[in-house]
């Protein structure tokens, strides 16, 4: 299903939206940072009053039927790293907030929550109709499963509305142990096709968060599939993009022991790298025939297929140059270097942050995104500041409200500016528009850019006889774009000395395109790095000209600051969130009746303009009322309508505010004000309970009925944490361990077979004769010899449905043609395993799933999986823990290359733009690597679909541990020959076989190879 302008117009009409074709002209900047160019943009007012007023005003235009229609309401899901962020998100208009609790979440370095603070957050949010989701989106290690389940039980009792889960075992166990809790599949599970959505439904999930690497058309297709299965789809709308498919990154783990799959990503992808290319090794060189050369030349000149929706953010980042399209074959075959320190081709992007994408921003394409049928728009940023949360949520709330009200749903220039200065590495819609080239990358810098405000206009030295030149320049502190800085320390130091006479300093004046305020944070670009500067009021007052501007104290600038330096505002003090107690308040209508002889009556009804009705899909009006004693005649002063309202309206210490009222009084009635206060409190207390009850009903209704064909079987926690008896464990395979080889070409496959490999694992994406790779280099001329017969075909980790715009649709090659009922197939994703099992194949699960605990192994065993290849992040002790509690065959890769990530963006594109004819790409016929600051080289291989695979620069050698691995029950040992020559492949396989033989006879271990690593087998992950 494709998304075009007609479908967007239909969707808009359903929402009572004016057709896009008739809307006002859009002011859509081409710069990916919105206001990064030198434009006249004023700061947006995202104050609480403005946002609240807009929300309430726009909600009025919706009828009651529209308010309760699930079709028209899209959840706005906000991040929160602490309680202040929860309040900011709710005040800004979030429909739901997701947060981390303790250690079981993917942002363990955030402040996160305790059970006590979770209860506080849930009470605050639920009273305002906002849901709270808890992230349990990490791998669960073997000894943690029972603790994680108890953790979930406590969180559910404390008010959690749903759990966001990555781990297969935890998901299955929660579904059995806590069936009333809705489960949302995390993007970390890497769901990007129909089979993945179907598998999640069978797990009993209520929602699936899709991978970020999907187009509008794919999201639409998967949303439709999910709806048919009774599930929702959640899509990322704003925030940081990982260059690697989520849940597939081992880079931080293998380099520094900080696992991204355990919530401690060190963001190695944001560091600088140099892409190197060299001629293929002699063993991999082949000469193309003239016919093949002609085919490649023709393919290189073929224009790209146009897409229905074009990327609107295509300009390069600061310090980047435009990259003209040209053929892959136009690149030289010699060593290629792309860093900020070397001369660049005019066709090559500038910058050395080759793994750093821009930030996702869908503000300009929200109608198109909503037209896909997604149920939730997710904002990334649990590590971000409270001002970021408040500003970004406010902007998206306002755009969504305008869309529902029938107004222009595109962001205003002020809103674009607000998003940019909240945090921006430059914005992109990335894969939504089927874009995967250099336009989505932030090669120039990996951190916040902010909004361009102007340039330094002049600088001069004011002489001071009391100070030498060296004294005047002793204070500057310079910051590199890659260094962290402490703004607070610099600000406090300058604040302490702000009364120093200006005559003792050198001043730089800046004329700004926007009004500046004390507390604004500026970043100044110089030719020797960047410096951060926080404004004082004295800086603004010292600006001598008319209009907006400021002076900058030279004591806080580097000597390299000169005329013409660019200046960006990276934080606007005016948009900082200022918390106010009890905000946001809930609008209520007051009914009060004081009639002689009848019980006094006070009732509060929540206004239909309240957004909570929409959030909770609530059709009935929520009310709270209280009755008092019979009203008697006044003894002294009679009650007046003004007096009654004034005393009932004393709601300052409550979360309510009266927006309308109706008061009926008999003449001459009396009563005490204390009785009125008591009735008011009782009525509000009842109303609060009604709101909490309505939210609980809504939340519990989200849980799906356990499907009859559920993959989740009865999970006994005792069985998961206690060993099985020796009779229950499978020992036959362990007594006959096998050596297998992962081979990407026939020569290495045959060499491995001759050396003793009992089975060859062949990746399907390299199985075609012209797609085989040797030592990471595509063999242009196919070999005459083929593969041995003893082989298992291996499905790729990433396999999109062949919809228009995907790589699978443009390249006529179906990987599923090799999946045959009754034959073994290697599946490196949960979705592939599910589909292969449905087709009747015998499935082996690869380490990319990943499998790190007994519950996950039991689930796969119950599904019918024949063998599990364990995660490389497990230690020897953890492997033993799992093996003692399961009976399935288990394997482990012990030698060769370790894949660290898979990227939809081709890393070879940093050499310059290409025509994306990936199967014939000449760049793939050279060996590429990313060279880091410490001198390590990380090999890069791009497959026929244009997806890059990044490998560790240090080879794995766990062969010396084979005796111990045999003892704990590992029965299959893999040698990965991806980066090896045929001779090296033969030696590696023979060495593993020798280690097995020695373990069986003498239990002697082989020596570890020099310059290799044992991975996490002994050091584990944090």
């Amino acid at each position: 299903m494709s998304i075009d302008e007609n479908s967007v117009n239909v969707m808009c009409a359903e929402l009572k939206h004016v057709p896009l074709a008739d809307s006002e002209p859009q002011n859509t900047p081409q710069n990916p940072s919105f206001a990064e160019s030198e434009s006249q943009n004023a700061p947006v007012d995202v104050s609480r009053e403005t946002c609240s007023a807009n929300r309430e005003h726009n909600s009025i235009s919706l009828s009651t039927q529209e308010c309760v229609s699930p079709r028209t309401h899209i959840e706005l899901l906000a991040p929160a790293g602490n309680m202040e962020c929860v309040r900011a998100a709710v005040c800004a208009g979030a429909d739901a907030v997701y947060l981390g609790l303790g250690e079981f979440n993917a942002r363990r370095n955030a402040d996160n929550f305790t059970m006590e603070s979770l209860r506080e957050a849930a009470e605050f949010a639920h009273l305002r109709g906002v849901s709270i989701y808890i992230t349990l989106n990490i791998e669960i290690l073997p000894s943690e499963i029972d603790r994680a389940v108890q953790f979930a039980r406590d969180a559910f009792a404390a008010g959690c509305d749903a759990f966001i889960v990555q781990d297969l075992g935890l998901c299955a166990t929660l579904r059995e142990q806590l069936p009333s809790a809705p489960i949302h599949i995390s993007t970390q599970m890497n769901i990007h096709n129909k089979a993945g959505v179907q598998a999640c439904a069978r797990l009993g999930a209520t929602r699936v968060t899709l991978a970020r690497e999907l187009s509008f058309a794919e999201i639409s297709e998967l949303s439709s599939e999910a709806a048919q299965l009774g599930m929702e789809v959640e899509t990322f709308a704003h925030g940081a993009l990982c260059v690697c498919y989520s849940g597939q990154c081992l880079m931080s783990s293998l380099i520094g022991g900080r696992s991204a799959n355990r919530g401690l990503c060190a963001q190695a992808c944001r560091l600088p790298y140099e892409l190197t290319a060299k001629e293929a090794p002699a063993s991999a060189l082949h000469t193309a025939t003239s016919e093949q050369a002609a085919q490649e030349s023709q393919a290189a000149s073929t224009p790209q297929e146009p897409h229905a929706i074009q990327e609107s953010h295509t300009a390069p980042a600061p310090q980047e140059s435009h990259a003209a399209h040209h053929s892959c074959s136009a690149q030289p075959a010699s060593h290629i270097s792309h860093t900020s320190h070397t001369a660049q081709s005019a066709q090559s992007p500038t910058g050395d942050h080759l793994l750093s994408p821009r930030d996702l921003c869908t503000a300009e394409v929200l109608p198109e995104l909503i037209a896909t049928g997604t149920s939730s728009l997710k904002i990334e940023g649990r590590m971000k500041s409270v001002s970021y949360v408040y500003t970004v949520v406010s902007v998206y709330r306002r755009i969504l409200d305008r869309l529902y009200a029938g107004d222009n749903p595109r962001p205003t220039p002020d809103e674009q500016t607000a998003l940019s200065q909240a945090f921006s590495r430059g914005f992109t819609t990335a894969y939504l528009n089927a874009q995967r080239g250099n336009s989505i990358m932030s090669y120039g810098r990996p951190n916040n850019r902010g909004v361009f405000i102007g340039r330094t206009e002049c600088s001069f030295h004011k002489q001071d006889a009391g100070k030498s030149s060296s004294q005047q320049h002793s204070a500057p502190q310079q910051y590199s774009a890659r260094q962290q800085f402490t703004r607070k320390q610099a600000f406090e130091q300058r604040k302490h000395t702000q009364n120093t006479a200006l005559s003792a300093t050198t001043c730089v004046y800046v004329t700004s395109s926007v009004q500046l305020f004390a507390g604004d944070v500026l970043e100044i670009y110089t030719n020797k790095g960047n410096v951060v500067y926080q404004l004082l009021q004295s800086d603004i007052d010292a600006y001598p000209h008319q209009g907006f501007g400021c002076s900058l104290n030279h004591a806080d600038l580097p000597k390299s600051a000169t005329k013409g330096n660019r200046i960006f505002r990276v934080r606007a003090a005016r948009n900082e969130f200022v918390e106010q107690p009890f905000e946001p308040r809930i609008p209520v209508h007051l009914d009060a009746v004081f009639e002689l002889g009848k019980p006094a009556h006070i009732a509060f009804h929540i206004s239909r303009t309240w957004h909570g009705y929409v959030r909770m899909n609530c059709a009935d009006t929520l009310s709270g009322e209280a009755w008092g004693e019979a009203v008697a005649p006044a003894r002294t002063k009679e009650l007046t309508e003004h007096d009654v309202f004034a005393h009932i309206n004393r709601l300052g210490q409550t979360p309510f505010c009266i927006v309308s009222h109706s008061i009926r009084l008999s003449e001459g009635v009396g009563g005490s004000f204390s009785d009125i206060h008591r009735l008011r409190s009782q009525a509000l207390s009842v109303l609060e309970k009604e709101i909490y009850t309505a939210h609980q009903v809504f939340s519990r209704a989200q849980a799906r009925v356990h499907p009859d064909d559920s993959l989740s079987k009865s999970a006994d926690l005792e069985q998961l944490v206690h060993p099985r008896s020796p009779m229950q464990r499978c020992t036959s395979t362990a007594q006959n361990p096998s050596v297998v080889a992962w081979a990407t070409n026939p020569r290495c496959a045959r060499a491995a077979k001759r050396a003793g490999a009992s089975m060859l694992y062949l990746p399907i994406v390299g199985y075609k004769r012209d797609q085989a790779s040797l030592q990471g280099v595509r063999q242009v001329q196919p070999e005459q010899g083929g593969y041995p017969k003893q082989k298992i075909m291996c499905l790729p980790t990433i396999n999109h449905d062949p919809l228009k715009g995907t790589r699978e649709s443009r390249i006529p090659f179906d990987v599923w043609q090799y999946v045959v009922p009754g034959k073994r197939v290697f599946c490196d994703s949960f979705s592939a395993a599910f589909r292969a099992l449905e087709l009747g194949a015998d499935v082996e699960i690869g380490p990319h799933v990943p499998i790190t605990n007994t519950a996950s192994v039991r689930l796969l065993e119950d599904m019918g999986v024949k063998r599990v290849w364990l995660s490389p992040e497990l230690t020897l002790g953890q492997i033993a823990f799992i093996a003692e509690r399961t009976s399935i065959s288990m394997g482990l890769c012990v030698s060769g290359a370790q894949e660290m990530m898979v990227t939809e963006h081709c890393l070879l594109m940093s050499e310059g733009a290409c025509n994306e004819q990936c199967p014939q790409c000449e760049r793939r016929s050279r060996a590429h690597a990313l060279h880091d600051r410490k001198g390590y080289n990380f090999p890069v291989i791009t497959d026929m679909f244009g997806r890059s695979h990044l490998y560790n620069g240090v080879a794995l050698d766990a062969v010396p541990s084979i005796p111990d691995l045999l003892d704990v029950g590992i029965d299959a040992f893999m040698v990965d020959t991806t980066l090896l020559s045929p001779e090296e492949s033969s030696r590696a396989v023979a060495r593993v076989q020798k280690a097995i033989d020695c373990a069986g006879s003498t239990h002697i271990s082989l020596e570890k190879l020099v310059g290799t690593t044992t991975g996490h087998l002994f050091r584990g992950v944090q």
Side-chain angles (χ1 to χ4, degrees):
M1 176 179 180
S2 62
I3 301 298
D4 54 21
E5 191 71 17
N6 290 332
S7 63
V8 174
N9 288 336
V10 170
M11 179 277 300
C12 292
E14 292 176 355
L15 296 176
K16 291 190 174 182
H17 188 286
V18 294
L20 292 180
D22 298 331
S23 61
E24 297 178 4
Q26 303 300 319
N27 182 6
T28 306
Q30 295 301 310
N31 192 300
S33 290
F34 282 143
E36 191 174 296
S37 58
E38 302 179 23
S39 59
Q40 300 293 325
N41 287 329
V44 65
D45 179 8
V46 289
S47 64
R48 179 181 296 104
E49 293 78 8
T50 303
C51 292
S52 178
N54 285 344
R55 283 201 306 278
E56 300 301 339
H57 171 74
N58 288 330
S59 297
I60 293 173
S61 67
L62 293 174
S63 67
T64 302
Q65 182 178 2
E66 288 173 315
C67 279
V68 300
S69 171
R71 168 67 182 86
T72 59
H73 178 64
I74 307 299
E75 177 186 85
L76 183 58
L77 179 57
N82 52 48
M83 188 61 205
E84 188 180 12
C85 287
V86 171
R87 295 192 179 96
V90 175
C91 284
D95 299 308
V97 179
Y98 67 101
L99 49 89
L101 187 65
E103 61 185 304
F104 296 114
N105 77 94
R107 294 292 184 273
R108 286 163 62 188
N109 285 330
D111 292 343
N112 289 317
F113 289 75
T114 62
M115 287 298 173
E116 182 178 351
S117 59
L118 171 60
R119 292 187 184 91
E120 179 187 357
E123 289 177 2
F124 176 84
H126 291 172
L127 187 58
R128 292 156 178 84
V130 176
S131 299
I132 295 291
Y133 304 149
I134 296 298
T135 57
L136 296 175
N137 54 342
I138 63 169
E139 296 173 354
I140 304 299
L141 296 179
S143 61
E144 296 175 337
I145 189 70
D146 55 339
R147 189 155 50 95
V149 172
Q150 185 58 49
F151 202 72
R153 285 199 186 100
D154 295 341
F156 197 57
C160 162
D161 295 299
F163 295 103
I164 304 173
V165 182
Q166 172 192 5
D167 189 88
L168 283 175
L170 180 61
C171 182
T173 307
L174 285 179
R175 194 68 185 90
E176 291 296 327
Q177 299 287 323
L178 208 59
S180 59
I183 293 176
H184 298 178
I185 297 300
S186 169
T187 189
Q188 293 291 108
M189 203 178 283
N190 186 26
I191 303 301
H192 59 272
N193 53 35
K194 274 189 177 182
V197 172
Q198 294 164 0
C200 292
R202 291 279 294 277
L203 281 172
T206 62
R207 177 185 291 183
V208 55
T209 308
L210 298 178
R212 296 173 174 92
E213 293 82 356
L214 297 175
S215 65
F216 287 125
E218 291 177 283
I219 296 173
S220 179
E221 190 77 10
L222 299 186
S223 295
S224 177
E225 182 69 20
Q228 294 178 30
L229 296 169
M231 289 197 307
E232 296 178 335
V233 156
E234 178 179 298
T235 308
F236 277 92
H238 191 94
L241 286 172
C242 292
V243 69
C244 177
Y245 273 85
S246 294
Q248 304 302 305
C249 186
L250 296 174
M251 190 172 192
S252 175
S253 170
L254 293 177
I255 292 177
R258 294 176 53 182
S259 173
N261 294 320
R262 294 279 296 164
L264 289 174
C265 179
Q267 297 198 30
C269 55
R270 302 294 181 183
L271 296 175
Y273 297 93
E274 174 187 357
L275 180 66
T276 63
K278 60 183 179 180
E279 292 292 355
S283 59
L285 283 178
H286 293 275
T287 304
T289 65
S290 58
E291 181 180 354
Q292 290 171 326
Q295 290 175 350
E296 293 184 13
S297 177
Q298 181 180 0
S301 62
T302 303
Q304 292 189 55
E305 177 183 350
H307 301 294
I309 300 175
Q310 295 297 324
E311 168 67 77
S312 59
H313 314 298
T314 56
Q319 302 177 354
E320 291 182 41
S321 60
H322 291 275
H325 284 277
H326 59 84
S327 165
C328 292
S329 59
Q331 294 298 319
S334 58
H335 176 89
I336 299 172
S337 173
H338 291 284
T339 72
S340 58
H341 308 293
T342 58
Q344 301 298 312
S345 165
Q347 296 175 320
S348 302
T350 303
D352 53 5
H353 297 279
L354 304 185
L355 296 176
S356 179
R358 299 177 185 271
D359 289 343
L360 175 66
C361 178
T362 65
E364 293 200 36
V365 294
L366 276 187
E368 290 88 341
L369 187 54
I370 291 174
T372 64
T374 187
S375 299
S376 178
L377 302 176
K378 188 170 194 173
I379 296 171
E380 181 275 339
R382 281 193 290 138
M383 295 289 289
K384 300 289 200 323
S385 67
V386 64
S387 62
Y388 166 89
V389 172
Y390 183 68
T391 300
V392 174
V393 174
S394 296
V395 169
Y396 278 85
R397 178 78 271 158
R398 294 167 73 165
I399 297 174
L400 284 172
D401 287 348
R402 289 202 301 270
L403 189 150
Y404 291 132
D407 297 331
N408 190 338
R410 309 297 179 179
T412 66
D414 286 352
E415 288 168 340
Q416 295 169 352
T417 300
L419 292 175
S420 293
Q421 63 192 11
F423 192 94
S424 165
R425 297 180 180 92
F427 287 137
T428 178
T429 55
Y431 309 104
L432 290 173
N433 288 322
Q435 298 295 316
R436 52 189 292 276
N438 290 330
S439 64
I440 76 169
M441 301 300 290
S442 179
Y443 292 138
R445 60 176 299 176
N447 48 12
N448 189 20
R449 291 177 179 169
V451 177
F452 178 83
I453 64 168
R455 296 177 180 269
T456 53
E457 292 186 345
C458 60
S459 62
F460 59 90
H461 294 269
K462 291 188 176 182
Q463 298 300 323
D464 184 359
K467 288 189 177 182
S468 66
S469 176
S470 61
Q471 288 175 316
Q472 291 180 13
H473 294 279
S474 60
Q477 185 174 5
Q478 183 176 348
Y479 301 92
S480 165
R482 296 188 293 271
Q483 290 178 324
Q484 294 184 344
F485 46 81
T486 306
R487 293 171 178 165
K488 184 176 180 181
Q489 293 176 350
F491 180 66
E492 292 298 328
Q493 180 181 3
R494 291 181 52 247
K495 186 175 180 181
H496 179 72
T497 61
Q498 66 175 318
N499 294 323
T500 304
L502 286 177
S503 60
T505 65
T506 298
C507 295
V508 178
Y509 291 95
V510 179
T511 297
S512 173
S513 60
V514 298
Q515 186 175 2
L516 301 176
F517 299 90
D520 284 355
V521 177
L522 309 181
E523 187 166 5
I524 305 165
Y525 285 57
T526 76
N527 60 0
K528 293 185 178 180
N530 306 336
V531 64
V532 171
Y533 191 103
Q534 189 163 14
L535 289 178
L536 299 171
Q537 187 60 46
S538 58
D539 297 323
I540 299 172
D541 295 340
Y543 181 64
H545 305 300
Q546 295 294 323
F548 302 143
C550 65
S551 68
L552 305 178
N553 192 325
H554 185 274
D556 297 293
L557 300 179
K559 295 180 181 179
S560 57
T562 61
K563 181 178 179 180
N565 291 149
R566 293 179 303 158
I567 300 182
F568 292 77
R569 180 165 63 181
V570 295
R571 180 169 294 181
R574 193 180 184 186
N575 290 343
E576 293 291 315
F577 173 70
V578 179
E579 185 176 346
Q580 297 181 15
F582 305 104
E583 294 288 342
R585 296 181 185 270
I586 303 167
V588 296
H589 171 78
L590 164 68
D591 275 329
V593 180
F594 293 85
E595 295 180 345
L596 286 172
K598 297 181 179 180
H601 177 240
I602 292 179
F604 293 101
H605 313 283
I606 295 183
S607 169
R608 293 304 306 186
T609 66
W610 184 48
H611 207 72
Y613 282 120
V614 184
R615 293 179 181 134
M616 298 187 296
N617 195 20
C618 186
D620 299 326
T621 299
L622 299 176
S623 303
E625 51 189 345
W627 285 265
E629 300 293 332
V631 178
R635 296 180 180 179
T636 54
K637 181 180 178 181
E638 66 179 75
L639 290 176
T640 67
E641 181 177 338
H642 177 271
D643 291 336
V644 171
F645 180 73
H647 281 269
I648 296 178
N649 195 36
R650 294 180 180 179
L651 303 179
Q653 298 301 305
T654 75
F656 301 97
C657 64
I658 298 174
V659 295
S660 61
H661 65 275
S662 173
I663 299 176
R664 292 184 310 205
L665 291 176
S666 298
E667 290 188 9
V669 299
S672 69
F673 292 135
S674 61
D675 289 338
I676 294 176
H677 297 163
R678 178 176 52 81
L679 290 179
R680 177 199 65 202
S681 299
Q682 290 177 353
L684 290 178
S685 178
V686 172
L687 180 57
E688 285 192 12
K689 291 179 181 178
E690 284 291 311
I691 297 174
Y692 285 129
T693 300
H695 187 276
Q696 186 176 38
V697 170
F698 166 74
S699 176
R700 297 301 182 264
Q702 305 308 303
R704 296 177 63 230
V705 177
H706 207 304
D708 294 335
D709 58 349
S710 172
L711 300 178
S712 307
K713 305 297 181 182
S714 180
D716 186 346
L717 287 180
E718 290 296 317
Q719 294 181 9
L720 298 181
V721 298
H722 288 90
R724 288 187 172 185
S725 66
M727 294 298 295
Q728 291 178 297
R729 295 175 58 194
C730 178
T731 58
S732 59
T733 54
Q735 293 174 356
N736 298 288
S738 60
V739 181
V740 304
W742 181 279
T744 59
N745 63 84
R747 296 172 63 191
C748 285
R750 294 195 300 268
K753 178 64 178 173
R754 288 193 298 268
S758 61
M759 189 62 66
L760 300 167
Y761 286 67
L762 310 179
I764 296 175
V765 292
Y767 190 65
K768 289 182 66 176
R769 293 180 65 85
D770 63 341
Q771 296 301 320
S773 66
L774 177 57
Q775 294 181 271
V777 176
R778 183 174 77 93
Q779 295 179 286
V780 178
Q781 183 174 345
E783 292 186 29
Q784 296 301 315
Y787 290 98
K789 292 182 179 180
Q790 295 77 11
K791 59 180 179 289
I792 292 177
M793 304 307 292
C794 303
L795 289 164
T797 306
I798 308 302
N799 178 227
H800 289 243
D801 297 320
L803 301 176
K804 184 178 180 180
T806 63
R807 305 301 300 164
E808 280 74 6
S809 69
R810 298 182 63 180
I811 299 172
F813 180 69
D814 182 14
V815 298
W816 287 93
Q817 64 184 297
Y818 295 96
V819 179
V820 179
K823 288 191 175 183
R824 288 260 175 149
V825 63
F826 179 95
C827 301
D828 226 0
S829 70
F830 182 58
S831 58
F834 175 82
R835 182 176 175 182
L837 287 168
E838 293 284 295
L839 293 174
D842 291 340
V843 170
E844 295 189 14
I845 282 281
H848 276 282
V849 172
I851 304 303
T852 58
N853 56 65
T854 306
S856 296
V857 176
R858 293 276 186 89
L859 171 67
L860 297 173
E861 189 175 6
D862 291 340
M863 289 172 59
V865 171
K866 302 301 181 183
R867 174 178 286 164
V868 170
W869 292 90
L870 296 174
S871 166
E873 294 192 309
L874 290 173
T875 65
L876 181 61
Q878 291 164 347
I879 292 173
F881 186 99
I882 295 173
E884 288 176 345
R885 291 157 179 81
T886 57
S887 59
I888 195 172
S889 170
M890 292 188 296
L892 189 70
C893 184
V894 294
S895 177
Q898 284 185 292
E899 186 175 273
M900 297 196 301
M901 66 168 62
V902 183
T903 69
E904 184 69 14
H905 166 72
C906 176
L907 301 183
L908 307 188
M909 286 184 175
S910 63
E911 293 182 356
C914 71
N915 63 7
E916 300 193 38
Q917 300 297 324
C918 304
Q920 296 81 32
C921 178
E922 187 175 310
R923 297 178 191 179
R924 295 174 58 210
S925 63
R926 298 190 299 274
H928 288 81
L930 292 182
H931 183 78
D932 75 356
R933 300 171 301 168
K934 295 184 177 181
Y936 289 96
N937 292 301
F938 302 95
V940 176
I941 302 175
T942 295
D943 62 34
M944 65 180 297
F945 290 103
R947 297 183 180 111
S948 289
H949 304 254
L950 184 65
Y951 291 83
N952 193 5
V954 180
L956 173 69
D957 182 21
V959 175
S961 301
I962 283 179
D964 296 323
L965 291 169
L966 285 169
D967 287 343
V968 302
I970 298 298
D971 56 68
F973 301 90
M974 179 178 285
V975 175
D976 191 323
T977 69
T978 300
L979 299 175
L980 303 181
S981 67
E983 295 75 16
E984 292 169 331
S985 301
S986 178
R987 289 196 297 269
V989 171
R991 184 165 173 267
V992 174
Q993 186 61 60
K994 180 180 178 180
I996 293 174
D997 295 340
C998 290
S1001 58
T1002 62
H1003 209 78
I1004 296 176
S1005 299
L1006 302 184
E1007 291 292 329
K1008 179 173 170 288
L1009 296 178
V1010 177
T1012 60
T1013 177
T1014 55
H1016 290 295
L1017 207 53
F1018 298 104
R1019 66 173 180 169
V1021 294
Q1022 296 182 28

